């Protein structure tokens, strides 16, 4: 279970968010500038809250009152960025194994095969990252995050840089991920349809604060992308 | 090809040795310095930056004389090193390497610093979320991506080290077989009657070495750039 209760000032903008997430997919929903990415960066440890607590189960990652801030590389939280951020000097296979190597985890070929099959990237392994399409890049980024064996997966608008057809291509993989990988996900988006498809528990953010909480179907019932943007 | 005498060969090989040692020792220090300047704000940063560039603007003779004062047998650091560690710089080829290393350092650091500044920090963030401790991020992401700059800096530094004259001759003099590099040998030959032919041979050798260094750096840079674009 993910527990977030943080405050962060960014210039004259303040993110002040409190929620707990126990479901398989937690959606962070809101227009751009609502504070979604700042919040995810805090969960990943890339940004330090001014005040508050972030914890997974009993494991406290941030507690400003107790002076706790666990460094990003010690959190074991997978992060899939909107822009994939694959390492250009490494092959696809080397990218996939990067997290596993950095964490000193022995190679488990069966596990690797499962992830590669799940994301359908076996044909890409020998390629350089510059030769991948946008959708392929996101699938490799997902695989890279999964293979580090995270206890939580953060996805920051993973479909944000893709066109409609590519989105339709990736969404089924995300649904399979939800059902088969067994890793809880925090999914950031400004597209309510993605959250409906993923049947997410949704936290609606507006100007840095929680505006609503609940199941995608009910919370997003009357929200359309046009109104949000 | 050219009829190069053993004495001339000695100067050529000594130059190569001095240049290589100076570059290889200076490179890790240059990478650390470049990283410090590119990625950190600290008190005295401008002063450090200025100190590194000083050899570029000071007359080489001044740098050489300062080296003599500090690293000479009676110098503050040189005396201590000689008494405690048995390391002597003055009038030795190691002193020539030290002089060349310091003179070429600004040229070595600059491309390294620029290429580290150019590394996308978002990739470093991605690496840290994947479990890489800061030093591992540096070794597996920052340094490989900055490699073209490191190689360019090494080649520039090496070329400068090979050609260094003023500081070297002031600090360690012009002793054949010990501190007489190509530059010093050419200088001596131009002061000697009938030295023109030998001087020209050494000129030709230094042109060839410089050309090889430049071509090699181009080749490395091209390969590295291809790697970085992930194609």
């Amino acid at each position: 279970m993910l527990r977030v209760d943080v405050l962060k000032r960014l210039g004259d903008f303040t993110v002040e968010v409190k929620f707990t997430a126990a479901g398989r997919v937690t959606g962070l929903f809101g227009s751009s500038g609502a504070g979604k990415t700042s919040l995810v960066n805090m969960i990943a440890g890339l940004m330090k809250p001014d005040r508050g607590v972030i914890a997974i189960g009993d494991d406290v990652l941030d507690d400003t009152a107790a002076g706790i801030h666990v460094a990003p590389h010690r959190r074991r939280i997978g992060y899939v960025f909107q822009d994939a951020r694959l390492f250009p000097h490494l092959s696809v296979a080397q990218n996939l194994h990067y997290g596993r190597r950095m964490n000193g985890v022995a190679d488990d070929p069966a596990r690797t095969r499962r992830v590669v099959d799940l994301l359908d990237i076996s044909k890409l392994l020998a390629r350089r990252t510059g030769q991948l399409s946008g959708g392929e890049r996101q699938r490799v980024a997902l695989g890279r995050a999964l293979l580090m064996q995270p206890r939580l997966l953060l996805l920051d608008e993973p479909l944000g840089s893709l066109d409609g057809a590519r989105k339709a291509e990736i969404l089924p993989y995300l649904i399979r991920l939800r059902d088969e990988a067994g890793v809880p996900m925090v999914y950031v988006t400004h597209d309510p349809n993605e959250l409906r498809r993923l049947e997410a528990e949704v936290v609606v953010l507006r100007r840095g604060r929680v505006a609503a909480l609940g199941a995608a179907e009910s919370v997003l019932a009357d929200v359309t992308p046009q109104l949000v943007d | 090809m050219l009829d190069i005498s053993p004495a001339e060969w000695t100067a050529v090989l000594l130059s190569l040795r001095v240049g290589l040692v100076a570059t290889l020792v200076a490179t890790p220090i240059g990478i650390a310095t470049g990283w410090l300047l590119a990625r950190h704000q600290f008190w005295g940063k401008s002063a450090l930056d200025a100190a590194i560039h000083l050899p570029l603007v000071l007359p080489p003779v001044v740098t050489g004389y300062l080296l003599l004062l500090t690293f000479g047998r009676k110098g503050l650091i040189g005396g201590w090193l000689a008494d405690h560690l048995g390391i002597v710089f003055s009038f030795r080829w190691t002193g020539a390497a030290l002089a060349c290393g310091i003179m070429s350092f600004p040229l070595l650091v600059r491309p390294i610093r620029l290429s580290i500044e150019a590394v996308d920090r978002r990739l470093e963030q991605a690496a840290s979320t994947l479990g890489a401790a800061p030093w591992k991020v540096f070794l597996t992401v920052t340094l490989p991506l900055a490699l073209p700059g490191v190689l360019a800096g090494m080649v520039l530094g090496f070329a400068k080290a090979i050609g260094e004259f003023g500081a070297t001759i002031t600090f360690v003099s012009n002793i054949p077989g010990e501190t007489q590099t190509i530059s010093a040998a050419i200088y001596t030959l131009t002061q000697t009657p009938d030295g023109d032919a030998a001087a020209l041979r050494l000129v030709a050798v230094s042109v060839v070495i410089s050309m090889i260094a430049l071509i090699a750096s181009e080749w490395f840079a091209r390969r590295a750039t291809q790697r970085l674009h992930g194609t």
Side-chain angles (χ1 to χ4, degrees):
Chain A
M1 189 183 73
L2 173 68
R3 186 157 55 91
V4 176
D5 179 2
V6 291
L7 181 138
K8 176 81 183 175
R9 281 195 189 82
L10 301 155
D12 50 6
F13 178 72
T14 303
V15 180
E16 189 171 12
V17 172
K18 181 176 180 176
F19 69 89
T20 55
R24 288 181 302 181
V25 182
T26 305
L28 293 182
F29 176 79
S31 56
S32 47
K36 306 187 298 287
T37 298
S38 303
L39 191 55
V40 172
N41 281 340
M42 280 188 259
I43 298 172
L46 296 174
M47 189 187 273
K48 225 175 179 168
D50 294 335
R51 203 176 71 215
V53 175
I54 297 171
I56 297 178
D58 294 331
D59 195 359
V60 177
L61 300 175
D62 272 290
D63 184 346
T64 50
I68 296 171
H69 174 73
V70 177
H73 69 276
R74 297 187 200 279
R75 295 197 172 202
R76 221 158 47 77
I77 294 177
Y79 195 155
V80 179
F81 301 87
Q82 179 175 348
D83 50 356
R85 303 195 191 178
L86 301 180
F87 302 123
H89 57 300
L90 303 179
S91 70
V92 168
Q94 288 169 322
N95 265 282
L96 285 174
H97 287 290
Y98 184 87
R100 180 184 64 67
R101 277 176 43 223
M102 290 301 124
N103 288 291
V105 179
D107 187 17
D108 177 350
R111 189 189 158 81
T112 306
R113 172 112 323 258
R114 268 204 309 281
V115 170
V116 167
D117 287 345
L118 175 76
L119 296 165
D120 210 2
I121 50 179
S122 59
K123 288 197 190 69
L124 311 177
L125 294 178
R127 293 218 204 141
R128 310 292 306 190
T129 59
Q131 302 167 321
L132 303 180
S133 70
E136 288 169 340
R137 295 175 72 80
Q138 281 307 354
R139 268 146 61 198
V140 173
L142 269 169
R144 184 176 69 172
L146 276 178
L147 280 172
M148 70 173 280
Q149 309 198 12
R151 50 184 171 171
L152 177 70
L153 202 53
L154 305 172
L155 302 112
D156 186 8
E157 309 213 22
L159 311 184
S161 58
L162 307 178
D163 59 37
R166 293 284 90 72
K167 282 184 186 176
E169 170 197 325
I170 306 283
L171 254 176
Y173 291 109
L174 293 172
I175 291 167
R176 273 166 77 181
L177 203 70
R178 177 197 69 192
D179 296 337
E180 293 174 29
V183 183
M185 303 197 279
V186 171
Y187 190 97
V188 173
T189 185
H190 56 261
D191 181 351
N193 289 325
E194 292 170 18
L195 295 176
R196 288 195 193 103
R197 291 281 305 273
L198 288 163
E199 296 165 27
E201 291 289 317
V202 179
V203 178
V204 179
L205 294 177
R206 198 166 293 148
R207 287 182 223 98
R209 286 165 200 276
V210 177
L213 283 165
E217 280 309 325
S218 55
V219 172
L220 302 173
D222 46 26
V223 179
T224 64
Q226 290 76 16
L227 280 176
V228 171
D229 287 333
Chain B
M1 194 184 77
L2 293 160
D3 190 15
I4 298 171
S5 75
E8 288 155 32
W9 265 123
T10 305
V12 171
L13 292 177
L14 182 73
S15 276
L16 288 174
R17 180 163 59 165
V18 165
L20 275 176
V21 169
T23 308
L24 291 180
V25 173
T27 297
I29 305 170
I31 290 171
T33 311
W35 173 76
L36 206 62
L37 291 173
R39 285 293 156 86
H40 293 270
Q41 296 301 329
F42 53 91
W43 189 86
K45 180 172 172 174
S46 317
L48 175 67
D49 202 17
I52 290 165
H53 285 89
L54 213 51
L56 214 54
V57 287
L58 276 180
V61 178
V62 172
T63 306
Y65 187 59
L66 288 174
L67 281 172
L68 194 59
L69 291 179
T70 46
F71 285 93
R73 194 69 181 76
K74 295 194 181 99
L76 198 63
I77 304 173
W80 189 89
L81 285 173
D83 294 342
H84 294 86
L85 300 175
I87 298 172
V88 177
F89 286 110
S90 49
F91 306 112
R92 301 280 171 83
W93 74 270
T94 47
L98 176 67
C100 291
I102 285 175
M103 290 300 289
S104 62
F105 199 64
L107 294 173
L108 176 90
V109 169
R110 190 169 170 73
I112 295 177
R113 173 190 182 166
L114 290 176
S115 62
I116 290 177
E117 275 172 354
V119 171
D120 189 345
R121 303 198 71 163
R122 294 173 307 165
L123 292 174
E124 297 175 347
Q125 287 188 336
S128 72
T129 66
L130 287 162
W135 66 272
K136 281 186 181 170
V137 174
F138 181 76
L139 288 182
T140 60
V141 177
T142 318
L143 196 54
L145 289 173
L147 200 60
V150 174
L151 292 171
M154 287 176 77
V155 171
L156 265 176
F158 177 73
K160 171 73 185 172
I162 285 268
E164 215 295 309
F165 177 70
T168 310
I169 205 163
T170 311
F171 181 31
V172 295
S173 184
N174 185 358
I175 307 162
E178 186 65 44
T179 63
Q180 190 180 70
T181 57
I182 296 183
S183 308
I186 293 173
Y187 172 74
T188 305
L189 287 167
T190 58
Q191 307 296 307
T192 315
D194 308 323
D196 286 348
L200 272 174
R201 285 196 291 274
L202 286 178
V203 166
V205 170
S206 50
V207 169
V208 168
I209 291 173
S210 307
M211 288 296 286
I212 290 173
L214 278 176
I215 291 167
S217 88
E218 274 295 307
W219 187 77
F220 279 126
R222 222 182 7 252
R223 280 199 42 151
T225 311
Q226 280 169 358
R227 265 162 51 96
L228 299 193
H229 288 288
T231 50

